[in-house]
Amino acid sequence: MVDALALVTSVRLALSGIQIESDLVFLNLVSTLKGLFIMKISLPAVLAIGAVFGVGLVSVPASANLIVNGGFEDPSIGYSPTLTPPGWTNIGHSDGVIPYTSFSTPAYEGNYFYDLGGFGQASGPIGDGITQTVTTAIGSEYELIFGLSSEDFAGLSTLTVDINGILTNFPLTSTGTFLGKGFTTQSILYTATSLSTTISFIETANTSGGNNDPMIDCVAFDLKGTTSGCGASTTVPEPASLALLGIGLAGLGAMRRKQRA
């Protein structure tokens, strides 16, 4: 009789590249298959059962946005140009959430956006920003997606996105619309090197004393290919379950061939 643990380990190795969210799921799979082998159910039958119950044996939950309050829509403070939005920590200032209706800014998502330094503190915005720390899996590839604009009154500014010390700069040039410029979607890929990842948005340059501060909205961070916006992710197939289903179908075929023989 084939050893169940060796079988499942081999299957897991064959599925390298498919992320199983929890080792507990793997251990449950081992326990289930061991029970089937103890009952002296043949290997093809085990695989056939996997075809029927694969989703239950290996379940990879749909991902959700790891960022808390990425759209700055938390109703506990609503519109506040001076209070820190829930889930975030302000860096170097007390600026806050701005409603789209206050100006002529085209709405990117929801009712609010975040201004990095120029609304509650009109001068000296360099170094101002916002940060949040999330839990990550070492070696997994993540994607940060967010909407970016600026106050667009005058001058040049730079938004620096810091993901655990890896910096990405976004230069912003004013066209003179004064809060009338729309947001554009930006994305950054990141491979986690620790169990926690700190994501910071910081204004690192400004030539006009705070008249072109960066503005962000709809911040989302999750596994690459699953992030689709703040608070929600795309519905994706559960690859490990689908793979087990495929193995199970192969087992059914093996049973049929054995019966014919």
Side-chain angles (χ1 to χ4, degrees), residues 166-201:
I166 298 177
L167 308 181
T168 304
N169 293 320
F170 295 89
L172 298 163
T173 302
S174 174
T175 60
T177 67
F178 187 57
L179 290 159
K181 182 170 66 176
F183 283 70
T184 59
T185 301
Q186 309 293 334
S187 66
I188 303 172
L189 295 179
Y190 170 75
T191 299
T193 57
S194 65
L195 297 177
S196 64
T197 296
T198 299
I199 302 165
S200 303
F201 297 84

Side-chain angles (χ1 to χ4, degrees), residues 71-84:
F72 308 104
E73 303 290 325
D74 192 307
S76 63
I77 65 169
Y79 161 54
S80 173
T82 58
L83 295 179
T84 302

Side-chain angles (χ1 to χ4, degrees), residues 26-75:
F26 174 64
L27 294 175
N28 287 338
L29 175 60
V30 172
S31 177
T32 301
L33 288 180
K34 276 187 174 180
L36 294 174
F37 277 106
I38 290 173
M39 294 167 61
K40 299 186 182 302
I41 298 177
S42 65
L43 176 58
V46 170
L47 295 176
I49 292 171
V52 178
F53 298 105
V55 173
L57 292 175
V58 182
S59 178
V60 180
S63 297
N65 184 12
L66 298 177
I67 295 291
V68 176
N69 191 26
F72 308 104
E73 303 290 325
D74 192 307

Side-chain angles (χ1 to χ4, degrees), residues 137-245:
I138 297 174
S140 294
E141 188 172 23
Y142 293 83
E143 184 174 23
L144 174 69
I145 299 177
F146 62 98
L148 174 63
S149 186
S150 68
E151 294 174 344
D152 204 42
F153 180 70
L156 306 174
S157 64
T158 299
L159 170 71
T160 297
V161 179
D162 182 341
I163 306 180
N164 263 15
I166 298 177
L167 308 181
T168 304
N169 293 320
F170 295 89
L172 298 163
T173 302
S174 174
T175 60
T177 67
F178 187 57
L179 290 159
K181 182 170 66 176
F183 283 70
T184 59
T185 301
Q186 309 293 334
S187 66
I188 303 172
L189 295 179
Y190 170 75
T191 299
T193 57
S194 65
L195 297 177
S196 64
T197 296
T198 299
I199 302 165
S200 303
F201 297 84
I202 305 170
E203 184 170 3
T204 54
N206 194 304
T207 64
S208 61
N211 288 312
N212 193 39
D213 295 323
M215 307 185 308
I216 59 173
D217 195 7
C218 199
V219 180
F221 184 76
D222 208 334
L223 292 170
K224 179 185 176 182
T226 66
T227 309
S228 64
C230 39
S233 295
T234 53
T235 301
V236 295
E238 297 180 355
S241 297
L242 294 178
L244 184 58
L245 178 61

